[in-house]
Amino acid sequence: MREDSLPDLRGRQREWETLDRLLRSVRIGQSQVLVLRGEAGIGKTALLDQLCDRASGCQVARAAGVESEMELAFAGLHLLCVPFLDRLPTLPDPQAEALRTAFGLRDGVAPDRFLIGLAVLTLLAKVAEERPLICVIDDAQWLDRASAQALAFVARRLVAESVAMVFAVREPADDKILAVREPADDKILAALPELTVHGLAPDDARALLEQARPGPLDEQVRDRLVAETRGNPLALLEMPRGLPVEELAGGFGPSSWPEVSAGISPGIEESFRRRIGALPAQTRALLLVAAAEPLGDPLLLWRAADRMGIGPAAADPAKADGLMTIGERVVFRHPLVRTVVYRSAQAADRRAAHLALAEATGRDNDPARRAWHLAAAAEGPDEEVAAELERSAGQAQARGGLAAAASFLRRAVALTPDPVRRAERALTAAGASVQAGLFNTALGLLATAEAGPLDDLQRARANLLRAQARYWQTRGSEGPLLLLGAAQALEPLDPGLARKTYLDAWSAALFAGAMTRGTSMAEISSKALACPRPEGPPEAADVLLDGLALAVTSGRDAAAPLLRQAVDRFGGDGAATIQEVVRSTAAAVMVWDYEAWATPLARQIRVARESGALSVLPVALDVLAQALCVGGDLRGAALLTAEVEAVTQATGSRIASYARLMLAGARGREAEARTLINVTIAEATAAGQGCAVQYARSATAMLCNGLGRYDEALAAAERAADDTPELFVADWARIELVEAAARAGRPETARAALDRLRQGTAAAGTDWGVGVATRLSALLSDGSDADRLYREAIERLAPTPVRPELARAHLLYGEWLRRAGHRVAARDHLRQALELFGEMRMDAFAERARRELATAGERVRRRRVDAFDELTAQEAEIAQLAVAGRSNPEIGAQLFLSPRTVEWHLRKVFMKLGVSSRRELAGALNASGRTAESA
């Protein structure tokens, strides 16, 4: 380590070496992220201070979470971004407007939380173009959830922006944090690089104590302090303060120092409490107002102080004791000082501080923050304040989404004196909490609601919210039963809501598949069909529910007209939401309509990207990727799954990617596919997610058919076809089952599966469905019938988008012709199959066609591996988007990257492909048989 980079902090060489490497990396253009974890007083803030002091040549932005405002959306993020808000006009318009709305600079619809993260990423990257940027976030455990999510999003997407983000998190969490934390909150900063800060070594601890405590210090007393503080620097510095000199020097040890056996933090807090308690009353009051005001705004502090009759002189004792300074911002000596000031104050004093801050904020300046302070100032139930919180929930939602609105509504519940109104507000707050993913919070609010007077409809609504919260928490096998019960309770009270709930229950049963517990898709479908329909013309969702339910109870033939009507309703004028279109794709696949599956979904995804509705993208992208797999665009499917992975990595979320399973089965790369399939089956089985298991088994069957392992393919296909046999995944499995059974010498099994498959394909009547069934009929036929059926299958499949089915028709026909002795004709069809499989990169089927072609007497060269195959999935996607004419900012917005990171990836692509411009890149792309994907 260089001499000028040695740490000033005693005993922190290991930690400083890590921070020094971080600084050096940022200065040469590499982004860095680090989470410092450790107990209170362990030295995290001191390390952050030193990092900022040593960041010569860099810009520094600091923020800190504050306990009193951890439920005010984007409070922490606003504090970090305030110095850079003048750059907002340089951001793409949707991103700039999202930040203006989130920070209360304009009115508007609540921005998508992923769009907020992308906007902050772009903003910080632009700031770092001038000089490297160091972002320091202290006390991250107190950050409001919206800020924490946005900053974690940014941290996961940093690559080449000359930006460093360093978080400090207090651990273990105290009871106050645990009381407001949801299980998902623990994962917000998960998987980011971490450094745990431990106590000082005994020699360093003794040296620090002697350095900070001039004068005699008995050796035994010193060793006891070192041992009981476990080397915690702040405890070593604070706990001896105020203790009699004779006790420290006389060898008897202090009789009054704080008890630390329960942890270090209480001892440090007690030291701060003694110091604060010795200050004048007005100084303590000023400290309390500052602790309750997280923005660090001295003007707001002094306006509030003036309302309490506190003058400027009150700040002097706090400054002299090193507890707080007031300059351009209000700064506490340590984050723990703020915590101790606030927690140790009397409740009446805290209320007075918040009331003064509410008055100083003003109704017009920031009504949501004013309402929040008024709520904290309320002595007991207060309908006027509760109503103001309820009114402010709308503004809070516009800034921070449903989670912010839920926080305001929850406060309103606590302050509502009337039991009837309190119960209704609790239901409303629970609904907002469920939609925001705050499931434990929602369950607590439902308990509050049910303790009050509820009518039958309100109780039914409570049952529905409880079912949704419990199901969405786990997506497990009990969800369908919970939602079915809620739907039945709603039937006599609100048939429209009951039918929507039946559709939720049906979807949950689809997800749980064969692992559904306590009910079945057949029972849910039967009860849904018996539910009264609302008066007036049926909505599209009603038609969809009836079609899906009828397909289960009466078969595809009976359901086909309704399924077709639902497909037309959801895919027609574009009025449906992306979530509705995703749900309707089940109907499109059940009537074998590829265009109705893929086209409306691609359109909705484009709209979602343009509008910044990024949170709905992962599932929609995965469903579209499934369509691309079926259509043979495996490269496009891989790019979409890579985008799904980018979103989930950026947000720390997870979804079950069925498209990845389909892609693995179609590609036929055995080792890669086996690993994914085995992991999926194990995890999905443990979670009660039977649909994922069904997809995995269907993918196994396709993989093994491509490899020519027909017995294994048959076993997997039979299990997949039997799992929720009414659904489309079972249809796909039956395609594999018929081919595997025919090749394994089990024609009766093959015919039974084909008969079941034909029930759906005949009712649909599309070239896709009928063409597949005809191909499989040919496989089970002989002589002229087989020849005629193969030709008919190829004729039907040729004009469709489903190229893998066409290629497989050529392959089976070629195999049949070779076995019948028609080698010349066989080579023609096998050649076409090989070409199609090669273009699609269906490697196992391509190898099967190659072997057959060689057996038919033709020499076949193996496909050359081109340089494009050496690109990572993200590099390939960036290359395709660049060739499609997208600018770096547009590519970044789609892939949740900064333009500078896009440029960095493109340079790597150019090097790998040996090109130097986008025009040459387009040539390389076309030479590899790729086309730019525009979905």
Side-chain angles (χ1 to χ4, degrees), residues 556-598:
R556 263 346 136 70
D557 189 48
L562 284 172
L563 292 172
R564 168 57 60 192
Q565 185 181 345
V567 167
D568 293 341
R569 293 277 295 271
F570 280 110
D573 58 8
T577 66
I578 190 169
Q579 296 96 328
E580 291 171 333
V581 170
V582 167
R583 182 173 276 180
S584 73
T585 58
V589 180
M590 290 170 83
V591 295
W592 296 82
D593 188 336
Y594 185 86
E595 295 294 346
W597 177 10

mmCIF file of all heavy atoms in Angstrom, residues 556-598:
data_model
loop_
_atom_site.group_PDB
_atom_site.id
_atom_site.type_symbol
_atom_site.label_atom_id
_atom_site.label_comp_id
_atom_site.label_asym_id
_atom_site.label_seq_id
_atom_site.Cartn_x
_atom_site.Cartn_y
_atom_site.Cartn_z
ATOM 1 N N ARG A 556 -61.819 -29.336 -24.684
ATOM 2 C CA ARG A 556 -61.474 -28.251 -25.588
ATOM 3 C C ARG A 556 -62.552 -27.973 -26.618
ATOM 4 O O ARG A 556 -62.758 -26.831 -27.022
ATOM 5 C CB ARG A 556 -60.213 -28.630 -26.329
ATOM 6 C CG ARG A 556 -58.870 -28.215 -25.964
ATOM 7 C CD ARG A 556 -58.519 -27.150 -25.022
ATOM 8 N NE ARG A 556 -57.461 -27.615 -24.177
ATOM 9 C CZ ARG A 556 -56.231 -27.827 -24.599
ATOM 10 N NH1 ARG A 556 -55.886 -27.587 -25.835
ATOM 11 N NH2 ARG A 556 -55.325 -28.280 -23.755
ATOM 12 N N ASP A 557 -63.218 -29.015 -27.088
ATOM 13 C CA ASP A 557 -64.219 -28.828 -28.127
ATOM 14 C C ASP A 557 -65.321 -27.892 -27.652
ATOM 15 O O ASP A 557 -65.739 -26.978 -28.371
ATOM 16 C CB ASP A 557 -64.802 -30.187 -28.534
ATOM 17 C CG ASP A 557 -65.688 -30.072 -29.767
ATOM 18 O OD1 ASP A 557 -65.247 -29.441 -30.737
ATOM 19 O OD2 ASP A 557 -66.809 -30.599 -29.738
ATOM 20 N N ALA A 558 -65.784 -28.093 -26.417
ATOM 21 C CA ALA A 558 -66.841 -27.250 -25.865
ATOM 22 C C ALA A 558 -66.329 -25.839 -25.561
ATOM 23 O O ALA A 558 -67.075 -24.863 -25.672
ATOM 24 C CB ALA A 558 -67.404 -27.883 -24.602
ATOM 25 N N ALA A 559 -65.071 -25.740 -25.174
ATOM 26 C CA ALA A 559 -64.531 -24.450 -24.723
ATOM 27 C C ALA A 559 -64.000 -23.595 -25.859
ATOM 28 O O ALA A 559 -63.832 -22.381 -25.690
ATOM 29 C CB ALA A 559 -63.414 -24.692 -23.710
ATOM 30 N N ALA A 560 -63.712 -24.187 -27.007
ATOM 31 C CA ALA A 560 -63.010 -23.468 -28.078
ATOM 32 C C ALA A 560 -63.668 -22.146 -28.467
ATOM 33 O O ALA A 560 -62.969 -21.129 -28.616
ATOM 34 C CB ALA A 560 -62.849 -24.379 -29.300
ATOM 35 N N PRO A 561 -64.996 -22.080 -28.649
ATOM 36 C CA PRO A 561 -65.584 -20.779 -29.039
ATOM 37 C C PRO A 561 -65.340 -19.676 -28.007
ATOM 38 O O PRO A 561 -65.024 -18.537 -28.371
ATOM 39 C CB PRO A 561 -67.081 -21.105 -29.177
ATOM 40 C CG PRO A 561 -67.131 -22.573 -29.461
ATOM 41 C CD PRO A 561 -66.001 -23.156 -28.666
ATOM 42 N N LEU A 562 -65.485 -20.022 -26.731
ATOM 43 C CA LEU A 562 -65.248 -19.012 -25.693
ATOM 44 C C LEU A 562 -63.769 -18.641 -25.612
ATOM 45 O O LEU A 562 -63.422 -17.455 -25.416
ATOM 46 C CB LEU A 562 -65.734 -19.520 -24.338
ATOM 47 C CG LEU A 562 -67.248 -19.499 -24.104
ATOM 48 C CD1 LEU A 562 -67.599 -20.213 -22.816
ATOM 49 C CD2 LEU A 562 -67.763 -18.062 -24.067
ATOM 50 N N LEU A 563 -62.896 -19.616 -25.730
ATOM 51 C CA LEU A 563 -61.461 -19.319 -25.698
ATOM 52 C C LEU A 563 -61.086 -18.412 -26.851
ATOM 53 O O LEU A 563 -60.315 -17.459 -26.691
ATOM 54 C CB LEU A 563 -60.659 -20.620 -25.748
ATOM 55 C CG LEU A 563 -60.754 -21.522 -24.511
ATOM 56 C CD1 LEU A 563 -60.083 -22.867 -24.771
ATOM 57 C CD2 LEU A 563 -60.126 -20.850 -23.291
ATOM 58 N N ARG A 564 -61.632 -18.700 -28.041
ATOM 59 C CA ARG A 564 -61.346 -17.845 -29.193
ATOM 60 C C ARG A 564 -61.874 -16.435 -28.972
ATOM 61 O O ARG A 564 -61.206 -15.449 -29.286
ATOM 62 C CB ARG A 564 -61.983 -18.487 -30.431
ATOM 63 C CG ARG A 564 -62.038 -17.595 -31.675
ATOM 64 C CD ARG A 564 -60.682 -17.099 -32.103
ATOM 65 N NE ARG A 564 -59.782 -18.198 -32.413
ATOM 66 C CZ ARG A 564 -58.478 -18.038 -32.586
ATOM 67 N NH1 ARG A 564 -57.940 -16.823 -32.421
ATOM 68 N NH2 ARG A 564 -57.707 -19.057 -32.873
ATOM 69 N N GLN A 565 -63.076 -16.321 -28.397
ATOM 70 C CA GLN A 565 -63.641 -15.006 -28.120
ATOM 71 C C GLN A 565 -62.774 -14.237 -27.125
ATOM 72 O O GLN A 565 -62.532 -13.027 -27.286
ATOM 73 C CB GLN A 565 -65.060 -15.152 -27.577
ATOM 74 C CG GLN A 565 -65.783 -13.824 -27.381
ATOM 75 C CD GLN A 565 -67.180 -14.016 -26.810
ATOM 76 O OE1 GLN A 565 -67.726 -15.128 -26.805
ATOM 77 N NE2 GLN A 565 -67.778 -12.951 -26.310
ATOM 78 N N ALA A 566 -62.290 -14.922 -26.086
ATOM 79 C CA ALA A 566 -61.421 -14.263 -25.110
ATOM 80 C C ALA A 566 -60.129 -13.795 -25.759
ATOM 81 O O ALA A 566 -59.657 -12.678 -25.490
ATOM 82 C CB ALA A 566 -61.119 -15.226 -23.958
ATOM 83 N N VAL A 567 -59.545 -14.619 -26.609
ATOM 84 C CA VAL A 567 -58.317 -14.237 -27.309
ATOM 85 C C VAL A 567 -58.553 -12.982 -28.135
ATOM 86 O O VAL A 567 -57.737 -12.045 -28.126
ATOM 87 C CB VAL A 567 -57.838 -15.402 -28.195
ATOM 88 C CG1 VAL A 567 -56.760 -14.928 -29.166
ATOM 89 C CG2 VAL A 567 -57.301 -16.540 -27.341
ATOM 90 N N ASP A 568 -59.681 -12.935 -28.834
ATOM 91 C CA ASP A 568 -59.977 -11.762 -29.664
ATOM 92 C C ASP A 568 -60.192 -10.523 -28.809
ATOM 93 O O ASP A 568 -59.764 -9.421 -29.170
ATOM 94 C CB ASP A 568 -61.215 -12.032 -30.524
ATOM 95 C CG ASP A 568 -60.964 -13.106 -31.576
ATOM 96 O OD1 ASP A 568 -59.782 -13.365 -31.881
ATOM 97 O OD2 ASP A 568 -61.950 -13.684 -32.080
ATOM 98 N N ARG A 569 -60.866 -10.683 -27.663
ATOM 99 C CA ARG A 569 -61.143 -9.532 -26.802
ATOM 100 C C ARG A 569 -59.864 -8.952 -26.225
ATOM 101 O O ARG A 569 -59.689 -7.721 -26.178
ATOM 102 C CB ARG A 569 -62.085 -9.953 -25.666
ATOM 103 C CG ARG A 569 -63.496 -10.335 -26.087
ATOM 104 C CD ARG A 569 -64.398 -9.120 -26.261
ATOM 105 N NE ARG A 569 -64.634 -8.411 -25.023
ATOM 106 C CZ ARG A 569 -65.631 -8.681 -24.177
ATOM 107 N NH1 ARG A 569 -66.485 -9.677 -24.445
ATOM 108 N NH2 ARG A 569 -65.806 -7.964 -23.088
ATOM 109 N N PHE A 570 -58.960 -9.794 -25.775
ATOM 110 C CA PHE A 570 -57.739 -9.298 -25.141
ATOM 111 C C PHE A 570 -56.696 -8.854 -26.161
ATOM 112 O O PHE A 570 -55.839 -8.035 -25.852
ATOM 113 C CB PHE A 570 -57.137 -10.377 -24.235
ATOM 114 C CG PHE A 570 -57.811 -10.478 -22.906
ATOM 115 C CD1 PHE A 570 -58.585 -11.582 -22.595
ATOM 116 C CD2 PHE A 570 -57.679 -9.471 -21.968
ATOM 117 C CE1 PHE A 570 -59.217 -11.682 -21.359
ATOM 118 C CE2 PHE A 570 -58.301 -9.563 -20.734
ATOM 119 C CZ PHE A 570 -59.081 -10.673 -20.426
ATOM 120 N N GLY A 571 -56.741 -9.374 -27.360
ATOM 121 C CA GLY A 571 -55.713 -9.040 -28.345
ATOM 122 C C GLY A 571 -56.117 -8.031 -29.367
ATOM 123 O O GLY A 571 -55.323 -7.669 -30.237
ATOM 124 N N GLY A 572 -57.350 -7.529 -29.273
ATOM 125 C CA GLY A 572 -57.869 -6.697 -30.350
ATOM 126 C C GLY A 572 -57.405 -5.257 -30.344
ATOM 127 O O GLY A 572 -56.499 -4.867 -31.075
ATOM 128 N N ASP A 573 -58.003 -4.426 -29.474
ATOM 129 C CA ASP A 573 -57.774 -2.977 -29.560
ATOM 130 C C ASP A 573 -56.640 -2.481 -28.685
ATOM 131 O O ASP A 573 -56.362 -1.284 -28.645
ATOM 132 C CB ASP A 573 -59.059 -2.229 -29.189
ATOM 133 C CG ASP A 573 -59.560 -2.596 -27.790
ATOM 134 O OD1 ASP A 573 -58.834 -3.298 -27.072
ATOM 135 O OD2 ASP A 573 -60.678 -2.179 -27.439
ATOM 136 N N GLY A 574 -55.975 -3.362 -27.967
ATOM 137 C CA GLY A 574 -54.858 -2.936 -27.127
ATOM 138 C C GLY A 574 -55.275 -2.288 -25.837
ATOM 139 O O GLY A 574 -54.450 -1.705 -25.134
ATOM 140 N N ALA A 575 -56.576 -2.364 -25.479
ATOM 141 C CA ALA A 575 -57.033 -1.716 -24.255
ATOM 142 C C ALA A 575 -56.693 -2.518 -23.013
ATOM 143 O O ALA A 575 -56.687 -1.985 -21.910
ATOM 144 C CB ALA A 575 -58.548 -1.503 -24.330
ATOM 145 N N ALA A 576 -56.437 -3.803 -23.166
ATOM 146 C CA ALA A 576 -56.137 -4.647 -22.010
ATOM 147 C C ALA A 576 -54.770 -4.288 -21.425
ATOM 148 O O ALA A 576 -53.886 -3.786 -22.126
ATOM 149 C CB ALA A 576 -56.157 -6.125 -22.417
ATOM 150 N N THR A 577 -54.615 -4.560 -20.133
ATOM 151 C CA THR A 577 -53.317 -4.331 -19.498
ATOM 152 C C THR A 577 -52.375 -5.482 -19.848
ATOM 153 O O THR A 577 -52.798 -6.551 -20.301
ATOM 154 C CB THR A 577 -53.461 -4.259 -17.973
ATOM 155 O OG1 THR A 577 -53.864 -5.552 -17.478
ATOM 156 C CG2 THR A 577 -54.501 -3.220 -17.579
ATOM 157 N N ILE A 578 -51.099 -5.256 -19.596
ATOM 158 C CA ILE A 578 -50.124 -6.307 -19.903
ATOM 159 C C ILE A 578 -50.366 -7.534 -19.038
ATOM 160 O O ILE A 578 -50.196 -8.679 -19.495
ATOM 161 C CB ILE A 578 -48.686 -5.763 -19.749
ATOM 162 C CG1 ILE A 578 -47.677 -6.770 -20.316
ATOM 163 C CG2 ILE A 578 -48.371 -5.431 -18.308
ATOM 164 C CD1 ILE A 578 -46.277 -6.197 -20.432
ATOM 165 N N GLN A 579 -50.801 -7.338 -17.788
ATOM 166 C CA GLN A 579 -51.092 -8.492 -16.937
ATOM 167 C C GLN A 579 -52.253 -9.301 -17.493
ATOM 168 O O GLN A 579 -52.213 -10.543 -17.486
ATOM 169 C CB GLN A 579 -51.420 -8.042 -15.503
ATOM 170 C CG GLN A 579 -50.259 -7.360 -14.795
ATOM 171 C CD GLN A 579 -50.321 -5.849 -14.895
ATOM 172 O OE1 GLN A 579 -50.800 -5.295 -15.890
ATOM 173 N NE2 GLN A 579 -49.843 -5.169 -13.859
ATOM 174 N N GLU A 580 -53.284 -8.629 -18.010
ATOM 175 C CA GLU A 580 -54.427 -9.335 -18.595
ATOM 176 C C GLU A 580 -54.027 -10.085 -19.853
ATOM 177 O O GLU A 580 -54.475 -11.214 -20.086
ATOM 178 C CB GLU A 580 -55.552 -8.339 -18.895
ATOM 179 C CG GLU A 580 -56.206 -7.757 -17.656
ATOM 180 C CD GLU A 580 -57.160 -6.627 -17.977
ATOM 181 O OE1 GLU A 580 -56.975 -5.937 -19.005
ATOM 182 O OE2 GLU A 580 -58.103 -6.424 -17.193
ATOM 183 N N VAL A 581 -53.181 -9.468 -20.670
ATOM 184 C CA VAL A 581 -52.742 -10.127 -21.895
ATOM 185 C C VAL A 581 -51.911 -11.363 -21.560
ATOM 186 O O VAL A 581 -52.046 -12.415 -22.207
ATOM 187 C CB VAL A 581 -51.955 -9.149 -22.788
ATOM 188 C CG1 VAL A 581 -51.288 -9.878 -23.946
ATOM 189 C CG2 VAL A 581 -52.886 -8.073 -23.326
ATOM 190 N N VAL A 582 -51.030 -11.255 -20.550
ATOM 191 C CA VAL A 582 -50.235 -12.417 -20.141
ATOM 192 C C VAL A 582 -51.157 -13.562 -19.734
ATOM 193 O O VAL A 582 -50.959 -14.716 -20.143
ATOM 194 C CB VAL A 582 -49.293 -12.047 -18.975
ATOM 195 C CG1 VAL A 582 -48.712 -13.297 -18.338
ATOM 196 C CG2 VAL A 582 -48.162 -11.148 -19.477
ATOM 197 N N ARG A 583 -52.182 -13.248 -18.961
ATOM 198 C CA ARG A 583 -53.105 -14.297 -18.509
ATOM 199 C C ARG A 583 -53.867 -14.904 -19.690
ATOM 200 O O ARG A 583 -54.115 -16.109 -19.730
ATOM 201 C CB ARG A 583 -54.073 -13.710 -17.480
ATOM 202 C CG ARG A 583 -55.042 -14.713 -16.910
ATOM 203 C CD ARG A 583 -55.846 -14.081 -15.776
ATOM 204 N NE ARG A 583 -55.128 -14.135 -14.517
ATOM 205 C CZ ARG A 583 -55.599 -13.666 -13.369
ATOM 206 N NH1 ARG A 583 -56.780 -13.084 -13.325
ATOM 207 N NH2 ARG A 583 -54.898 -13.755 -12.254
ATOM 208 N N SER A 584 -54.219 -14.077 -20.677
ATOM 209 C CA SER A 584 -55.003 -14.580 -21.810
ATOM 210 C C SER A 584 -54.181 -15.451 -22.744
ATOM 211 O O SER A 584 -54.750 -16.133 -23.600
ATOM 212 C CB SER A 584 -55.597 -13.404 -22.599
ATOM 213 O OG SER A 584 -54.590 -12.722 -23.345
ATOM 214 N N THR A 585 -52.861 -15.440 -22.615
ATOM 215 C CA THR A 585 -52.049 -16.286 -23.496
ATOM 216 C C THR A 585 -52.339 -17.765 -23.280
ATOM 217 O O THR A 585 -52.161 -18.570 -24.197
ATOM 218 C CB THR A 585 -50.545 -16.032 -23.282
ATOM 219 O OG1 THR A 585 -50.197 -16.271 -21.915
ATOM 220 C CG2 THR A 585 -50.168 -14.619 -23.669
ATOM 221 N N ALA A 586 -52.808 -18.127 -22.083
ATOM 222 C CA ALA A 586 -53.196 -19.524 -21.863
ATOM 223 C C ALA A 586 -54.293 -19.928 -22.828
ATOM 224 O O ALA A 586 -54.275 -21.034 -23.394
ATOM 225 C CB ALA A 586 -53.655 -19.723 -20.417
ATOM 226 N N ALA A 587 -55.271 -19.024 -23.047
ATOM 227 C CA ALA A 587 -56.345 -19.327 -23.993
ATOM 228 C C ALA A 587 -55.805 -19.409 -25.416
ATOM 229 O O ALA A 587 -56.202 -20.286 -26.194
ATOM 230 C CB ALA A 587 -57.435 -18.261 -23.899
ATOM 231 N N ALA A 588 -54.884 -18.509 -25.778
ATOM 232 C CA ALA A 588 -54.330 -18.514 -27.133
ATOM 233 C C ALA A 588 -53.605 -19.815 -27.431
ATOM 234 O O ALA A 588 -53.743 -20.395 -28.517
ATOM 235 C CB ALA A 588 -53.396 -17.318 -27.322
ATOM 236 N N VAL A 589 -52.836 -20.306 -26.471
ATOM 237 C CA VAL A 589 -52.097 -21.546 -26.687
ATOM 238 C C VAL A 589 -53.055 -22.738 -26.729
ATOM 239 O O VAL A 589 -52.850 -23.681 -27.504
ATOM 240 C CB VAL A 589 -51.027 -21.733 -25.595
ATOM 241 C CG1 VAL A 589 -50.260 -23.027 -25.810
ATOM 242 C CG2 VAL A 589 -50.056 -20.560 -25.599
ATOM 243 N N MET A 590 -54.124 -22.687 -25.932
ATOM 244 C CA MET A 590 -55.076 -23.793 -25.916
ATOM 245 C C MET A 590 -55.856 -23.905 -27.218
ATOM 246 O O MET A 590 -56.363 -24.988 -27.555
ATOM 247 C CB MET A 590 -56.022 -23.647 -24.719
ATOM 248 C CG MET A 590 -55.338 -23.885 -23.377
ATOM 249 S SD MET A 590 -56.348 -23.455 -21.946
ATOM 250 C CE MET A 590 -57.336 -24.924 -21.751
ATOM 251 N N VAL A 591 -55.962 -22.806 -27.980
ATOM 252 C CA VAL A 591 -56.601 -22.889 -29.304
ATOM 253 C C VAL A 591 -55.546 -22.877 -30.413
ATOM 254 O O VAL A 591 -55.867 -22.646 -31.571
ATOM 255 C CB VAL A 591 -57.629 -21.755 -29.517
ATOM 256 C CG1 VAL A 591 -58.789 -21.901 -28.559
ATOM 257 C CG2 VAL A 591 -56.989 -20.376 -29.389
ATOM 258 N N TRP A 592 -54.295 -23.116 -30.059
ATOM 259 C CA TRP A 592 -53.207 -23.297 -31.029
ATOM 260 C C TRP A 592 -53.097 -22.107 -31.990
ATOM 261 O O TRP A 592 -52.962 -22.275 -33.197
ATOM 262 C CB TRP A 592 -53.397 -24.614 -31.801
ATOM 263 C CG TRP A 592 -53.306 -25.830 -30.934
ATOM 264 C CD1 TRP A 592 -54.302 -26.347 -30.173
ATOM 265 C CD2 TRP A 592 -52.163 -26.659 -30.722
ATOM 266 N NE1 TRP A 592 -53.850 -27.460 -29.487
ATOM 267 C CE2 TRP A 592 -52.543 -27.684 -29.819
ATOM 268 C CE3 TRP A 592 -50.864 -26.656 -31.234
ATOM 269 C CZ2 TRP A 592 -51.664 -28.674 -29.382
ATOM 270 C CZ3 TRP A 592 -49.994 -27.649 -30.804
ATOM 271 C CH2 TRP A 592 -50.396 -28.644 -29.888
ATOM 272 N N ASP A 593 -53.161 -20.906 -31.426
ATOM 273 C CA ASP A 593 -53.069 -19.692 -32.242
ATOM 274 C C ASP A 593 -51.784 -18.968 -31.869
ATOM 275 O O ASP A 593 -51.729 -18.215 -30.898
ATOM 276 C CB ASP A 593 -54.289 -18.797 -31.992
ATOM 277 C CG ASP A 593 -54.356 -17.616 -32.950
ATOM 278 O OD1 ASP A 593 -53.297 -17.209 -33.474
ATOM 279 O OD2 ASP A 593 -55.464 -17.099 -33.176
ATOM 280 N N TYR A 594 -50.741 -19.182 -32.656
ATOM 281 C CA TYR A 594 -49.426 -18.629 -32.328
ATOM 282 C C TYR A 594 -49.432 -17.105 -32.388
ATOM 283 O O TYR A 594 -48.881 -16.438 -31.514
ATOM 284 C CB TYR A 594 -48.361 -19.195 -33.272
ATOM 285 C CG TYR A 594 -46.954 -18.752 -32.910
ATOM 286 C CD1 TYR A 594 -46.208 -19.458 -31.975
ATOM 287 C CD2 TYR A 594 -46.398 -17.600 -33.468
ATOM 288 C CE1 TYR A 594 -44.939 -19.047 -31.617
ATOM 289 C CE2 TYR A 594 -45.133 -17.180 -33.116
ATOM 290 C CZ TYR A 594 -44.399 -17.903 -32.194
ATOM 291 O OH TYR A 594 -43.144 -17.480 -31.840
ATOM 292 N N GLU A 595 -50.023 -16.543 -33.434
ATOM 293 C CA GLU A 595 -50.013 -15.086 -33.581
ATOM 294 C C GLU A 595 -50.745 -14.409 -32.428
ATOM 295 O O GLU A 595 -50.311 -13.367 -31.922
ATOM 296 C CB GLU A 595 -50.651 -14.689 -34.916
ATOM 297 C CG GLU A 595 -49.869 -15.151 -36.147
ATOM 298 C CD GLU A 595 -48.516 -14.462 -36.270
ATOM 299 O OE1 GLU A 595 -48.291 -13.451 -35.573
ATOM 300 O OE2 GLU A 595 -47.684 -14.932 -37.072
ATOM 301 N N ALA A 596 -51.879 -15.000 -31.990
ATOM 302 C CA ALA A 596 -52.620 -14.413 -30.866
ATOM 303 C C ALA A 596 -51.857 -14.536 -29.562
ATOM 304 O O ALA A 596 -52.090 -13.774 -28.621
ATOM 305 C CB ALA A 596 -53.985 -15.091 -30.739
ATOM 306 N N TRP A 597 -50.943 -15.469 -29.498
ATOM 307 C CA TRP A 597 -50.080 -15.639 -28.330
ATOM 308 C C TRP A 597 -48.988 -14.585 -28.320
ATOM 309 O O TRP A 597 -48.803 -13.857 -27.325
ATOM 310 C CB TRP A 597 -49.490 -17.048 -28.374
ATOM 311 C CG TRP A 597 -48.502 -17.398 -27.295
ATOM 312 C CD1 TRP A 597 -48.198 -16.692 -26.166
ATOM 313 C CD2 TRP A 597 -47.689 -18.578 -27.250
ATOM 314 N NE1 TRP A 597 -47.245 -17.349 -25.421
ATOM 315 C CE2 TRP A 597 -46.923 -18.509 -26.061
ATOM 316 C CE3 TRP A 597 -47.536 -19.677 -28.088
ATOM 317 C CZ2 TRP A 597 -46.003 -19.505 -25.712
ATOM 318 C CZ3 TRP A 597 -46.634 -20.661 -27.724
ATOM 319 C CH2 TRP A 597 -45.875 -20.583 -26.560
ATOM 320 N N ALA A 598 -48.292 -14.450 -29.415
ATOM 321 C CA ALA A 598 -47.060 -13.647 -29.421
ATOM 322 C C ALA A 598 -47.286 -12.179 -29.750
ATOM 323 O O ALA A 598 -46.666 -11.300 -29.142
ATOM 324 C CB ALA A 598 -46.069 -14.258 -30.416
#
